[in-house]
Amino acid sequence: MKAALFSAVLNWRPDDINAAQGFRYARGGLVGEPNRARLWWQFDFSIDVTITGAKGFQIPTTPLNEVSARITDQASGNPFTSFAAPNLQK
């Protein structure tokens, strides 16, 4: 079973995904407690996929240009400090 599974899956690259290489073996091992009736063995395979702008979805938003904050004392409400990080797009 292992040889048949590996020959079918390893380095297989489906046509409809954007991947430089195919599937690779990640790990395998016994799962659960074996008994006289059942034995579980799990093989994990992985593939690195790149999602491009053509295939992905970007929600249209306003670009983040500045972050500003103020830290206040909860008891009195007086500000401790404030800061700003302008020009985040640069």
Side-chain angles (χ1 to χ4, degrees), residues 2-3 15 17-18 24 30 40 42 52 68 73 78 87:
K2 183 178 176 181
D15 295 334
I17 65 170
N18 185 12
R24 62 183 176 274
L30 185 63
W40 294 273
Q42 178 174 328
T52 63
S68 61
D73 181 11
N78 296 329
N87 302 323

Side-chain angles (χ1 to χ4, degrees), residues 6-75:
F6 277 26
S7 66
V9 174
L10 287 181
N11 210 26
W12 168 50
R13 189 177 63 167
D15 295 334
D16 59 341
I17 65 170
N18 185 12
Q21 296 177 339
F23 284 95
R24 62 183 176 274
Y25 176 67
R27 65 185 173 143
L30 185 63
V31 178
E33 294 292 325
N35 59 37
R36 298 178 120 196
R38 293 177 183 88
L39 175 69
W40 294 273
W41 197 273
Q42 178 174 328
F43 295 101
D44 294 331
F45 298 90
S46 67
I47 189 168
D48 293 328
V49 177
T50 303
I51 300 174
T52 63
K55 298 245 182 197
F57 175 72
Q58 283 285 36
I59 299 172
T61 60
T62 306
L64 182 63
N65 294 321
E66 179 179 288
V67 174
S68 61
R70 183 180 351 182
I71 301 172
T72 59
D73 181 11
Q74 291 183 348

